[in-house]
Amino acid sequence: MTSSDNKRLLAALAANWQAEMEGYYTYTAFAKDEVDPQRRNALRGLAAAEKHHAALWAGRIQELGAPVPQYVGDPSGEAHSLANRVGGADLALRRLEIDEGRDIAKYGKQLKALGDQSSVAILKEVIADEREHYQTLGNLIRSRRPLPTMPPEQAQEALDDLLTARDKGHTQAAAWVGDAIYGVNDGLGSIFGIVSGVSGATLGNSHFVLIAGLAGMVASALSMGSGAYLAAKSEREIFEAEFAREREAVEDNEAEAREVLSLSFQIRGLPEEDAERFADHLARDKEQLVKALARERLSTTEEGLSKPIVSAVSGAVSTAIGALIPIVPFFFMTGIPAVITAAIVSLIAHFAVGAAKSLITIRSWWSSGFEMTWIGALEGAVTYIIGIGLGRIGGAS
């Protein structure tokens, strides 16, 4: 390896180390603020994994003769950034879920680019962990819980249900609904803050508000759409890679594959006899056996994966719709009346979006709606006051 190659490798490893340390501090800060014990423990586990990844990169950097980098980020990572505070914990976790998808894609590209076997070995371990992080965040966001262990007396009923579900092959409900709700939430929250700040600075001058609002709307829509696309694409690529590995394992040793599947069912509560019978039944069709093994590894099916284009379009369009709401009054009004009208319309929309979130969470619609409303009101008031101050500074200069 030449000197320039070594420098390039060390720069990539240092960037990976910084990213993992930022993730550690971010998850740690979220865990401290979380009141639900199960979510808090999950976030602590994610923080510990990120710190372990950083230690792996630090060890490799030292092996290459360079010192461990110094962390240059915020002590709370990204947890206390404005973007993660606006919209509540669920939206912040949704952003982290998207970031995990991007990290998987980034590390995937490094597998061929680094050209260092020791670093590639670390990458493979990190990618596997990041995949689990992506699933964990998805479970936290959508309030899914692990399947409970079934008592033996329910094993036969569960076995029959599983066989029936396999034969019918029904697909899961569309996942784009959640992406759309979070998109509207993101667009509404971010652009409402921009509109409030610019209104305060310009006393509701519709010309400036429209320019800033529309520019922010386009940027937010493109950002959310591209993020949703990359996250869905990464999730699908991970599934396809796992599917290929399981197919290879079945081809190499089908008996061992059946044993793995049987043991996984036994761990979940099925008696040994029923678990083996179920595994043998699936093994009659190798394709179904491979699908079952992949599903056990990833806790999902191909039908349950989001479609990248659908996620991108729903995320971008819904974000644009949410972002447009605070801007509309300024097409027809100007000055303080426009500011007041925009605030009223935006707060009503905040409540509606918060209530809609109850469709994909376990919270009541009025509680979720009220939370979104007061957060939106606080955001609007703060940015409006800041805007007034900036306007006076600009006027004085």
Side-chain angles (χ1 to χ4, degrees):
M1 182 179 296
T2 65
S3 177
S4 60
D5 289 338
N6 190 59
K7 289 182 179 179
R8 185 167 57 252
L9 173 61
L10 285 172
L13 300 187
N16 291 347
W17 183 89
Q18 288 287 345
E20 297 294 345
M21 288 301 296
E22 183 177 70
Y24 162 71
Y25 287 118
T26 298
Y27 285 124
T28 299
F30 275 125
K32 289 180 180 179
D33 296 337
E34 181 57 57
V35 295
D36 181 79
Q38 186 171 4
R39 287 164 66 105
R40 183 168 59 248
N41 289 336
L43 290 169
R44 285 174 176 170
L46 292 173
E50 297 290 295
K51 191 171 185 179
H52 172 65
H53 295 166
L56 292 176
W57 294 125
R60 183 55 185 153
I61 290 172
Q62 288 179 315
E63 289 174 359
L64 293 171
V68 177
Q70 294 294 318
Y71 178 64
V72 295
D74 190 275
S76 62
E78 291 292 317
H80 295 160
S81 66
L82 178 60
N84 279 329
R85 284 192 172 279
V86 174
D90 285 345
L91 183 57
L93 291 177
R94 173 59 176 153
R95 291 179 183 276
L96 291 178
E97 184 187 32
I98 292 174
D99 288 341
E100 290 288 355
R102 289 172 174 167
D103 288 342
I104 293 171
K106 179 189 72 174
Y107 285 142
K109 293 179 180 179
Q110 288 185 4
L111 284 173
K112 295 182 179 180
L114 289 185
D116 177 61
Q117 291 302 317
S118 297
S119 299
V120 168
I122 296 174
L123 275 174
K124 291 180 178 178
E125 177 180 346
V126 172
I127 290 174
D129 289 344
E130 296 292 349
R131 179 186 65 194
E132 294 181 3
H133 296 180
Y134 185 86
Q135 294 173 355
T136 300
L137 288 169
N139 291 339
L140 293 177
I141 294 167
R142 298 166 183 87
S143 300
R144 293 197 295 258
R145 294 293 185 264
L147 291 175
T149 301
M150 293 178 289
E153 59 269 17
Q154 295 181 2
Q156 186 61 53
E157 180 182 354
L159 179 60
D160 294 339
D161 289 343
L162 287 170
L163 291 173
T164 301
R166 172 182 175 270
D167 294 335
K168 289 182 178 180
H170 289 313
T171 59
Q172 298 181 0
W176 63 267
V177 176
D179 291 332
I181 291 176
Y182 284 112
V184 173
N185 188 358
D186 184 78
L188 177 62
S190 59
I191 304 306
F192 180 48
I194 292 176
V195 168
S196 299
V198 177
S199 296
T202 64
L203 299 179
N205 186 308
S206 60
H207 177 73
F208 294 110
V209 173
L210 286 174
I211 292 176
L214 291 173
M217 179 186 72
V218 173
S220 296
L222 293 177
S223 175
M224 180 61 75
S226 62
Y229 175 84
L230 290 173
K233 188 172 183 292
S234 297
E235 185 180 22
R236 185 168 292 274
E237 289 174 348
I238 290 169
F239 180 86
E240 291 172 352
E242 186 64 40
F243 193 87
R245 282 192 290 269
E246 294 303 338
R247 183 188 298 280
E248 184 179 349
V250 170
E251 293 293 337
D252 291 342
N253 194 335
E254 183 177 332
E256 183 183 69
R258 288 201 304 270
E259 183 180 2
V260 169
L261 190 60
S262 174
L263 289 173
S264 68
F265 290 136
Q266 291 176 48
I267 291 173
R268 292 169 60 183
L270 283 176
E272 180 179 357
E273 181 180 351
D274 289 340
E276 291 182 355
R277 183 157 62 92
F278 188 28
D280 289 340
H281 181 80
L282 288 173
R284 295 174 187 174
D285 184 342
K286 284 190 178 182
E287 193 71 13
Q288 292 297 334
L289 178 60
V290 173
K291 288 182 179 180
L293 288 166
R295 182 176 63 246
E296 289 300 313
R297 293 287 188 113
L298 297 174
S299 300
T300 189
T301 62
E302 186 175 8
E303 292 80 7
L305 295 174
S306 300
K307 296 181 179 179
I309 296 298
V310 174
S311 295
V313 172
S314 63
V317 172
S318 59
T319 300
I321 292 173
L324 186 62
I325 293 173
I327 305 173
V328 169
F330 291 92
F331 282 103
F332 311 100
M333 307 168 66
T334 189
I336 299 301
V339 175
I340 296 175
T341 303
I344 294 174
V345 171
S346 297
L347 292 179
I348 293 174
H350 271 86
F351 184 86
V353 173
K357 283 174 59 180
S358 64
L359 296 173
I360 55 175
T361 66
I362 59 174
R363 298 186 62 183
S364 62
W365 64 270
W366 61 267
S367 175
S368 182
F370 178 74
E371 180 183 58
M372 277 287 297
T373 303
W374 78 258
I375 290 177
L378 178 62
E379 175 198 4
V382 171
T383 53
Y384 185 76
I385 293 172
I386 292 174
I388 292 176
L390 293 175
R392 290 182 177 177
I393 293 174
S397 61

